[in-house]
Amino acid sequence: MKYLEEFQDPELARVLLEDIRATVTRPWAVMEVCGGQTHSIIRHGIDQLLPDEVELIHGPGCPVCVTPLEVIDKALEIAGRPEVIFCSFGDMLRVPGTDRDLFRVRGEGGDVRVVYSPLDALRIARENPHREVVFFGIGFETTAPPNAMTVHQARKQGITNFSMLVSHVLVPPAIEAIMTSPDCRVQGFLAAGHVCSVMGTEEYPQLAERHKVPIVVTGFEPLDILEGIRRTVRQLERGEHTVENAYQRAVRPEGNPAARAMLQDVFEVADRAWRGIGVIPGSGWRLSERYREFDAEHRFDVTGITTRESELCRSGEVLQGLIKPHQCEAFGTVCTPRNPLGATMVSTEGACAAYYLYRRLGAPAAATATAAATAAGAVPPTALEASPVG
Amino acid sequence: MCLAVPGRVLEIEERDGARMAVVDFGGVVKDVCLEYLPDLQVGEYAIVHVGFALQRLDEESACRTLELFAEIGLLQEEFGDPWEAAAAAGASAEVQR
């Protein structure tokens, strides 16, 4: 449990919290889309510092969590082939497929390598002309430009033993899907700052207007998040629903035009399944026809895979903000980061992992916070008392 | 992985037909592609994600963010040994289903 004193600028945090408290008159549910924001919120206890009326709902913004099981199983199948060098970001190693993970595949003799950048995978392809090098291209709009550039470079450099298993997902269609769900409780969004660094904010005004929902582009430092919440609550109280940019130091309205142009060249929009959620129309990118030769699914026969999800895991409901992690019966018992049932517990950006890591195991939050504060010798001011989780 | 980390450009060169830089992330030094921010100069800061500079950032914000990331262990997570991390987390444990 972290306290206001640990914020970079505790005094500013206090002012922001006071402003939120003075503004709010009734209950509001606000979703933070980005998994990095979720971690920052839980780690700094922001949800417990907020007035009772403001509930934060954790969104689906963790690329590792939402990569569908079928794609993980395809990756495992390809990675196990003797002619393949399979390259991946490190946080995919432990994501459970139907019956194993990439870490296990390597233990069984697969040539699985972790790369920092997709360009590292291209270098490996250049250095190993007699092997097939496959890169696992997952992620949101922030990760897609590096992957697009890598495929573009592969073609430019005439590298033929390189391909990419692509499973990119897009934020605006996910917001659309959340807002049109009959169970939706979300009344305002903190949009993911780094996604907007690339894509800009042009897609959001029509979403905000269509669903009468305020959208505030937000960073992931604690003060950024408090400012995002403050602006969202202010709009909600006034009955407004506009797009605001509270992360101007990193987000311009047009995003990064060079990156957007490359994305448009290399990828095309496709329907995409989200793990635990299901297919969201138009919510992903796949390689466009011009780059089909670099598509690992096209190069390797990985059809006919049968997937089997854990029956206990409720990460789909967590990802849609329908339940909090500790409301899942398996949370912290049969499902832990050491023994994860679903990706939300594996990924460091997953909501379940955040709750587990910071000991939000379902005990009444107010009591926990008070006990911890007392133990730490710090009694929070009345105005900043913790609010219940869940 | 979805977080981007601010870094400072130390050197710039053309490599394999792409504009590349050596970038310092609070002590960890990595190669970074500048194709999406081609006018970035030595000494400037940018938000870098999986080896690509995506947006310019002012020095003060960059340093504040780097400090925060170091403090909460995110730099270790981004640049540490992922195999060790996976092994430590018990990746090979039998998953109960």
Side-chain angles (χ1 to χ4, degrees):
Chain A
M1 185 63 56
K2 297 294 159 191
Y3 298 94
L4 216 46
E5 286 64 31
E6 293 191 22
F7 279 56
Q8 280 168 341
D9 186 342
E11 201 41 51
L12 180 54
R14 207 176 297 271
V15 169
L16 293 172
L17 277 164
E18 284 299 342
D19 194 79
I20 294 168
R21 197 170 286 274
T23 305
V24 73
T25 62
R26 57 203 146 126
W28 299 111
V30 176
M31 173 176 275
E32 86 278 1
V33 173
C34 166
Q37 291 170 339
T38 301
H39 258 255
S40 202
I41 286 164
I42 303 302
R43 184 181 195 282
H44 292 89
I46 291 174
D47 54 335
Q48 299 189 336
L49 291 167
L50 290 170
D52 288 350
E53 290 88 348
V54 182
E55 182 193 358
L56 290 179
I57 296 180
H58 315 308
C62 160
V64 177
C65 304
V66 300
T67 302
L69 184 57
E70 192 188 0
V71 175
I72 303 286
D73 281 350
K74 284 178 178 174
L76 298 171
E77 159 78 20
I78 294 171
R81 298 189 182 200
E83 75 275 24
V84 167
I85 299 173
F86 193 85
C87 299
S88 169
F89 295 129
D91 43 11
M92 296 304 289
L93 296 180
R94 298 187 308 111
V95 177
T98 292
D99 53 17
R100 54 192 181 147
D101 55 29
L102 281 171
F103 191 87
R104 172 76 63 90
V105 170
R106 191 211 197 199
E108 291 166 356
D111 194 347
V112 180
R113 302 188 192 180
V114 171
V115 292
Y116 163 66
S117 163
L119 286 179
D120 296 340
L122 197 58
R123 176 181 46 76
I124 291 170
R126 264 198 312 270
E127 293 168 356
N128 295 273
H130 304 300
R131 305 280 302 278
E132 280 290 329
V133 174
V134 182
F135 178 72
F136 200 177
I138 69 141
F140 281 94
E141 291 96 326
T142 326
T143 323
N147 293 349
M149 176 64 77
T150 303
V151 174
H152 175 79
Q153 289 284 338
R155 194 169 72 171
K156 195 169 127 189
Q157 297 174 25
I159 298 175
T160 55
N161 63 326
F162 176 83
S163 60
M164 198 176 281
L165 180 60
V166 176
S167 184
H168 282 301
V169 277
L170 307 174
V171 167
I175 291 182
E176 180 75 35
I178 287 163
M179 288 312 293
T180 48
S181 157
D183 301 319
C184 176
R185 296 193 300 120
V186 179
Q187 293 161 297
F189 284 96
L190 308 181
H194 286 160
V195 164
C196 297
S197 292
V198 171
M199 299 304 289
T201 53
E202 292 161 8
E203 290 178 276
Y204 291 114
Q206 41 176 316
L207 265 177
E209 181 55 41
R210 191 158 56 245
H211 298 291
K212 307 280 180 258
V213 66
I215 300 177
V216 179
V217 179
T218 306
F220 45 85
E221 292 175 46
L223 289 174
D224 289 333
I225 292 167
L226 280 179
E227 173 62 7
I229 294 167
R230 189 181 76 90
R231 293 199 194 193
T232 310
V233 167
R234 184 169 284 195
Q235 281 202 45
L236 287 166
E237 288 284 341
R238 289 175 179 168
E240 296 170 354
H241 46 268
T242 62
V243 176
E244 288 185 63
N245 182 1
Y247 195 34
Q248 285 189 0
R249 64 185 190 274
V251 174
R252 289 149 186 73
E254 71 280 12
N256 182 320
R260 292 179 70 180
M262 181 63 75
L263 289 168
Q264 203 162 9
D265 179 45
V266 174
F267 294 129
E268 63 189 22
V269 171
D271 295 347
R272 182 66 72 187
W274 294 51
R275 189 164 193 169
I277 296 177
V279 174
I280 301 178
S283 69
W285 274 318
R286 66 177 173 213
L287 287 167
S288 63
E289 196 58 47
R290 306 177 52 214
Y291 290 91
R292 196 54 45 87
E293 63 190 288
F294 295 100
D295 188 341
E297 290 196 60
H298 180 69
R299 193 170 296 202
F300 300 90
D301 180 20
V302 281
T303 51
I305 283 175
T306 314
T307 58
R308 195 182 66 254
E309 282 279 12
S310 158
E311 286 164 15
L312 293 173
C313 177
R314 296 177 70 186
S315 65
E317 292 164 85
V318 173
L319 288 167
Q320 295 172 83
L322 302 178
I323 63 166
K324 290 284 196 301
H326 60 68
Q327 290 169 320
C328 170
E329 294 73 12
F331 176 82
T333 54
V334 293
C335 182
T336 65
R338 234 182 143 67
N339 202 17
L341 292 187
T344 43
M345 184 60 95
V346 175
S347 165
T348 49
E349 284 146 27
C352 294
Y355 270 61
Y356 190 88
L357 187 60
Y358 299 114
R359 314 308 295 168
R360 302 287 185 84
L361 303 182
T368 311
T370 307
T374 309
V379 180
T382 316
L384 301 176
E385 271 175 13
S387 60
V389 176
Chain B
M1 183 206 86
C2 88
L3 284 184
V5 180
R8 179 171 180 267
V9 178
L10 299 179
E11 293 167 29
I12 296 175
E13 63 169 8
E14 288 288 318
R15 203 187 310 154
D16 302 321
R19 190 170 163 83
M20 299 292 291
V22 178
V23 173
D24 174 21
F25 302 94
V28 180
V29 172
K30 291 270 179 197
D31 285 342
V32 167
C33 180
L34 299 188
E35 286 290 306
Y36 292 135
L37 277 186
D39 54 350
L40 199 67
Q41 301 298 325
V42 169
E44 286 192 292
Y45 286 83
I47 293 175
V48 176
H49 182 56
V50 296
F52 283 72
L54 293 178
Q55 202 58 265
R56 225 182 219 95
L57 199 62
D58 65 275
E59 180 173 355
E60 192 196 334
S61 314
C63 293
R64 264 215 329 258
T65 303
L66 269 176
E67 215 172 284
L68 174 80
F69 282 3
E71 184 189 308
I72 66 182
L74 267 175
L75 289 183
Q76 172 61 27
E77 201 172 282
E78 186 80 7
F79 302 120
D81 184 338
W83 291 109
E84 272 178 23
S92 53
E94 201 55 49
V95 175
Q96 284 179 273
R97 291 181 188 279

